[in-house]
Amino acid sequence: MRVLITGVTGFAGGHLAAHCTGLGHEVHGLVRPGREGAAPPSVRAHAARLADPASVRAVLAEVAPDRVIHLAGASSVGRSFGAPAETWSANLCGTLGLLEALRLERGAGLGGCLVVSSGEVYGRVPLESLPVGPDTPMRPVSPYGAAKAAADLAALQYREGYGLPVVVVRAFNQIGPGQDERFVLPSAARQIAEAELRGDERAVIRIGNVDVRRDFIDVRDMVRAYWLLTERSPADGLHLACTGRSIAVRELLDQLAAHARRPVVYESDPGRVREGEQPDLYGAPSPYLAEAGWRPEIPLDRSLADTLDYWRHRLSMGG
């Protein structure tokens, strides 16, 4: 089976490509022009600008994928506040470009397309309304969440209005090796690894709000959910991929510190704190995924240990 992944050079994209390759599929990646060399070695890279349907359509015609998984876009909630226009363009215009190319290239024999969204579309949710589900109103606060919500609606409209085999998955917080240091847990892991490499007596970690609770899952479990949703093309167009429970960032940082080779001390960094942040957010997992035999298998403690080992290795190599 030929699989086309957008965002294949990113965090989840690399893990998804490895998962699909391990299943014996032929994996192609749609990347920005000039980024062909950043794709994993097992992936055949094709350059295109997602916001340009003609550019994407040329790749679809060349590859004739059986499945498309759309991961590309701006991924940082915090950064989106300082770059709203860039975030909207990446997350909405990129999705629209892909959807329009798929609409125009219907002869490609596409079996299914998965558009990966985010739990951030829910924004502020009364705590008594948790867990969120497909019918929970979207009240996004960040430009990232708003752009993802708009992309959700666009994908579902192309499904209903044009009959495209599109499914949307709202994925909740992912962690694991390879995640960008802009996110709280890999940032802490990198700071610990740096302190170890320098030989510091202790690791002083600068952090933001550690009392928020989120629905965390290992990225390797998440990409299994993506593949199941793509492979089986469910009748329903919207699904949630999550654990159904939340954990405080503080608890995960304590687990991470237990794997450090130095004592860990945390210092609050006001620049990393977002005012008005939703204190708790978790979702109701898709019944379809459960029926398909999916559940998270990797303990978060292993996710954290693997993340720290990733940064130790990367820094030792000069990264």
Side-chain angles (χ1 to χ4, degrees):
M1 184 180 293
R2 286 186 301 277
V3 183
L4 178 65
I5 302 172
T6 75
V8 75
T9 61
F11 170 49
H15 286 285
L16 178 61
H19 180 69
C20 292
T21 301
L23 294 174
H25 301 304
E26 180 182 309
V27 181
H28 297 257
L30 192 154
V31 301
R32 294 195 306 272
R35 290 279 292 166
E36 293 89 339
S42 61
V43 174
R44 304 182 190 183
H46 306 264
R49 297 191 181 281
L50 265 176
D52 176 11
S55 177
V56 179
R57 190 177 180 188
V59 173
L60 293 174
E62 178 185 354
V63 176
D66 301 294
R67 301 288 188 272
V68 174
I69 304 177
H70 178 45
L71 293 169
S75 59
S76 172
V77 175
R79 188 177 184 279
S80 75
F81 283 97
E86 178 184 332
T87 302
W88 274 93
S89 178
N91 291 345
L92 177 58
C93 298
T95 302
L96 284 171
L98 174 64
L99 293 169
E100 186 63 3
L102 290 170
R103 181 183 74 83
L104 296 170
E105 195 64 24
R106 290 299 298 276
L110 179 70
C113 173
L114 182 71
V115 172
V116 177
S117 183
S118 168
E120 286 291 328
V121 302
Y122 294 108
R124 291 201 177 97
V125 182
L127 298 184
E128 62 270 19
S129 297
L130 296 175
V132 295
D135 297 326
T136 302
M138 295 188 292
R139 299 188 180 93
V141 175
S142 67
Y144 171 85
K148 281 291 190 181
D152 267 27
L153 294 175
L156 295 172
Q157 185 272 315
Y158 270 75
R159 175 187 173 94
E160 299 299 326
Y162 297 114
L164 284 180
V166 178
V167 172
V168 172
V169 58
R170 290 176 183 163
F172 284 64
N173 299 65
Q174 302 169 56
I175 59 174
Q179 190 173 26
D180 192 282
E181 63 188 286
R182 290 174 297 174
F183 298 87
V184 58
L185 294 168
S187 172
R190 173 166 186 151
Q191 292 177 73
I192 290 171
E194 287 174 334
E196 292 176 348
L197 189 62
R198 289 192 302 264
D200 296 351
E201 291 186 3
R202 60 180 186 170
V204 180
I205 311 303
R206 297 179 63 79
I207 53 173
N209 187 354
V210 299
D211 292 317
V212 295
R213 301 179 64 88
R214 290 293 182 267
D215 193 327
F216 285 95
I217 187 170
D218 189 284
V219 65
R220 292 160 290 192
D221 281 327
M222 187 65 84
V223 299
R224 289 194 299 108
Y226 294 165
W227 180 250
L228 274 174
L229 288 168
T230 307
E231 182 182 41
R232 300 184 178 224
S233 299
D236 295 336
L238 177 60
H239 297 264
L240 272 65
C242 50
T243 68
R245 59 187 181 276
S246 63
I247 184 170
V249 170
R250 182 186 299 277
E251 294 179 54
L252 292 178
L253 287 169
D254 288 342
Q255 290 183 42
L256 179 65
H259 294 283
R261 298 166 184 163
R262 300 284 188 279
V264 175
V265 177
Y266 297 111
E267 288 187 355
S268 179
D269 181 354
R272 298 173 187 249
V273 176
R274 293 199 300 271
E275 295 297 329
E277 194 169 13
Q278 173 73 15
D280 195 1
L281 185 66
Y282 58 97
S286 165
Y288 176 85
L289 283 170
E291 292 165 5
W294 177 85
R295 63 179 180 82
E297 296 176 352
I298 300 175
L300 294 180
D301 189 62
R302 177 184 157 193
S303 307
L304 295 165
D306 289 351
T307 299
L308 182 53
D309 283 342
Y310 165 83
W311 282 107
R312 285 170 175 153
H313 175 73
R314 179 168 168 179
L315 293 174
S316 72
M317 301 297 290

